[in-house]
Amino acid sequence: MRNESSALLKVDGLEAWYGESHILHGMNFEVHKGEVVTLLGRNGAGKTTTMKSVMGMVGKRKGSITFEGVETINLSSNKIARLGVALCPEERGIFSSLTVKENMVLPPIVKPGGLPLAEVYDLFPRLLERGGSQGTKLSGGEQQMLAIARILRTGATMLLLDEPTEGLAPVIVQHIGDIIRKLKERGFTILLVEQNFHFAATVADRHYVVEHGHVIDMIPNAELTSNMAKLKGYLGV
Amino acid sequence: MMTLFGIPTAALFGQLLLGLINGAFYAVLSLGLALIFGLLNIINFSHGAQYMMGAFVAWLGLTYMGANYWVALALAPLVVAAIGIVLERTMLSRLYKLDHLYGLLLTFGLALIIEGIFRQLYGISGIPYAVPKELAGGWNLGFMYLPIYRAWVVIASLVLCVGTWLLIEKTKLGAYLRAATENPALVQAMGINVPIMITLTYGFGVALAAFAGVLAAPIYSVNPLMGSNLIIVVFAVVVIGGMGSIMGSIVTGFMLGLLEGLTKVIYPEAASTVIFMVMVVVLLIKPAGLFGKGA
């Protein structure tokens, strides 16, 4: 059992609303330094809302979110980013009015220790070749790589990756899995939203299962095989 | 007398110069509107009033503080931008998530209030503002007479437009602005203080209007209605160029000014409506405007 104080990100009793819609009903989970943790769940369970709440992008939220011991529940998203949290959004968020290079260097350096641009291009050589292209002219896989690549140089230590494999070809999914494992080796802490638990099993240390806006179970990756039937039941697959 | 296509060159180039000067004002004003619309989602109908305020601040500065034209050119945009920033923080910021119509109605109301105040204080007969002595006189080019001040207005406007375009297209700050125009929430989540960027962008757009107002003061008299006379044409320019398009605003502004000038020579009766005719055609063929995206 881990000591609570070692949690890099700790979410406690998180509730969130979009307008009048109450989406999160007391989310509780934590992510420790250097871990890759996934949020698994059906569509509409509240996984993306959780990511956006951690990032400060949901207007109305209650409860507690601490990052490196700092309470962020009332902070604006730009201040949370400056603490060292970075989001790779579900829709990728590539800017069509910017080139690939401009998209790549858009996020400001928030902390020392980020990957130098040359190292980022070592991980994603295709992005260097396509540097002058309009961001949204890239293929879906390349856009996903760009969305991940641009947050690596910022110095953020906590990466929030929202469905990075969604709609991608198997070979690209495999490449993104390789990248996530390399990032883990380099010490990044990753919170991953996934629908594809087969992919999640290849990269994660632990899995939280989310249903109706709260966590209903936590399964260590080492115990995933023995819990497969239960997990399939949760996910309805 | 020299002629070109049967038209005296002095008349032809004289009207083209007038068109170019009008085009310079169209370009600077529509540039400010495009910047504001792009980032704030607000159709700033008070832009004409802010242009007028720029001219009035120049005149008030000269009359009560002895501030000359060059001081006014530097300070009036700052003063009017500061007023604009107060309006943005206290009123416009409440409307960003609503339909464009609400912002348009609010800024239209503000324009009427601002103009009403100035009309009450200074009347509508117009107040002369002298051309600065450094820019007085003109050059005889052989085929036409070129007043130095008017040449300055065109050059200053061009420099301002190109400078603004370079700022937006070639700098990191401009990349933030372009990205925030597309997805402000994500840009903020990258660590950028987008609300401050929005406020400063509104201030900059307003400052462009005020700068144009100071440029206009020695050409047209300083008049509370000078903005409302111009703003309808400027909105047509913005629609033709494409709402929110920076390059569209600049190119379309100058081109339509020239077209207006040329029409004055060829068929003067249509000069005041030619821009609106172009607007109708563009809306029918390419509703997003010549430089706009989509539609």
Side-chain angles (χ1 to χ4, degrees), chain A residues 104-125:
Chain A
M104 175 72 94
V105 298
L106 188 73
I109 305 293
V110 296
K111 274 181 162 184
L115 297 189
L117 198 54
E119 273 189 55
V120 177
Y121 281 131
D122 282 345
L123 289 172
F124 304 98

Side-chain angles (χ1 to χ4, degrees), chain B:
Chain B
M1 185 191 304
M2 290 171 67
T3 63
L4 198 63
F5 305 119
I7 302 166
T9 53
L12 178 63
F13 288 110
Q15 287 300 339
L16 284 178
L17 176 64
L18 278 178
L20 200 58
I21 289 164
N22 283 339
F25 291 124
Y26 298 159
V28 175
L29 287 168
S30 59
L31 175 61
L33 280 177
L35 274 173
I36 290 169
F37 179 76
L39 195 58
L40 282 75
N41 210 21
I42 292 276
I43 299 171
N44 186 34
F45 228 92
S46 56
H47 216 63
Q50 286 153 346
Y51 160 81
M52 174 270 288
M53 286 167 75
F56 261 99
V57 170
W59 176 77
L60 290 167
L62 180 67
T63 306
Y64 295 106
M65 297 164 67
N68 69 21
Y69 173 84
W70 302 105
V71 174
L73 205 56
L75 288 187
L78 295 178
V79 171
V80 181
I83 296 168
I85 283 172
V86 172
L87 294 178
E88 191 275 337
R89 280 291 81 205
T90 55
M91 299 184 201
L92 294 176
S93 59
R94 297 162 186 262
L95 305 181
Y96 293 148
K97 289 178 181 167
L98 302 179
D99 188 84
H100 301 156
L101 185 62
Y102 292 91
L104 188 149
L105 288 172
L106 175 68
T107 54
F108 183 58
L110 287 173
L112 293 179
I113 292 167
I114 294 167
E115 281 177 8
I117 292 169
F118 277 87
R119 202 166 47 196
Q120 183 69 27
L121 291 173
Y122 302 105
I124 56 167
S125 54
I127 305 164
Y129 187 96
V131 170
K133 62 179 186 302
E134 298 88 344
L135 300 173
W139 298 304
N140 188 350
L141 303 179
F143 56 91
M144 67 174 286
Y145 179 78
L146 177 63
I148 295 172
Y149 187 77
R150 294 182 180 222
W152 153 250
V153 167
V154 173
I155 292 166
S157 302
L158 262 176
V159 168
L160 190 62
C161 288
V162 171
T164 305
W165 182 82
L166 286 172
L167 174 75
I168 290 165
E169 295 295 327
K170 302 293 176 192
T171 68
K172 190 72 180 276
L173 177 64
Y176 288 146
L177 279 171
R178 280 179 286 145
T181 298
E182 286 185 51
N183 189 342
L186 183 58
V187 173
Q188 177 146 359
M190 289 175 170
I192 309 297
N193 193 332
V194 172
I196 282 190
M197 198 162 76
I198 287 174
T199 300
L200 293 178
T201 300
Y202 188 75
F204 183 67
V206 169
L208 285 175
F211 186 88
V214 182
L215 285 180
I219 296 181
Y220 315 111
S221 58
V222 178
N223 185 321
L225 300 180
M226 63 193 284
S228 59
N229 295 338
L230 192 60
I231 198 67
I232 300 296
V233 181
V234 172
F235 270 106
V237 171
V238 170
V239 170
I240 295 166
M243 289 296 287
S245 166
I246 304 300
M247 183 52 87
S249 299
I250 298 170
V251 173
T252 313
F254 279 103
M255 295 307 291
L256 289 175
L258 282 171
L259 177 68
E260 201 178 41
L262 198 60
T263 310
K264 272 183 191 157
V265 181
I266 296 169
Y267 188 59
E269 293 84 348
S272 60
T273 53
V274 66
I275 288 180
F276 299 101
M277 291 180 205
V278 174
M279 184 183 82
V280 169
V281 172
V282 168
L283 279 175
L284 290 174
I285 296 172
K286 199 168 183 293
L290 297 177
F291 292 78
K293 287 176 185 159

Side-chain angles (χ1 to χ4, degrees), chain A residues 40 194-202 207 221 224 228 231-232 235 237:
Chain A
L40 299 174
E194 262 301 333
Q195 298 238 19
N196 179 352
F197 65 87
H198 295 294
F199 170 77
T202 66
H207 310 275
N221 198 51
L224 193 64
M228 194 53 81
L231 182 60
K232 285 184 175 177
L235 302 179
V237 292

Side-chain angles (χ1 to χ4, degrees), chain A residues 122-230:
Chain A
D122 282 345
L123 289 172
F124 304 98
R126 183 80 180 129
L127 298 179
L128 184 58
E129 295 165 25
R130 301 290 308 270
S133 306
Q134 186 187 342
T136 46
K137 295 280 188 213
L138 297 179
S139 68
E142 288 168 337
Q143 286 191 35
Q144 187 60 63
M145 289 175 201
L146 177 55
I148 297 173
R150 70 180 172 192
I151 59 177
L152 301 181
R153 43 174 291 285
T154 61
T157 49
M158 174 95 222
L159 309 183
L160 311 178
L161 308 183
D162 195 351
E163 303 223 26
T165 65
E166 189 186 20
L168 301 181
V171 65
I172 307 289
V173 172
Q174 195 178 353
H175 181 53
I176 287 177
D178 292 340
I179 294 294
I180 291 174
R181 281 184 288 275
K182 280 183 189 169
L183 296 178
K184 180 176 162 61
E185 283 168 19
R186 285 170 183 262
F188 284 99
T189 305
I190 297 172
L191 179 61
L192 181 70
V193 160
E194 262 301 333
Q195 298 238 19
N196 179 352
F197 65 87
H198 295 294
F199 170 77
T202 66
V203 294
D205 298 302
R206 292 185 297 126
H207 310 275
Y208 285 99
V209 183
V210 183
E211 195 171 284
H212 301 308
H214 66 281
V215 171
I216 57 167
D217 203 352
M218 191 279 284
I219 304 171
N221 198 51
E223 298 169 18
L224 193 64
T225 312
S226 57
N227 284 285
M228 194 53 81
K230 187 168 69 169

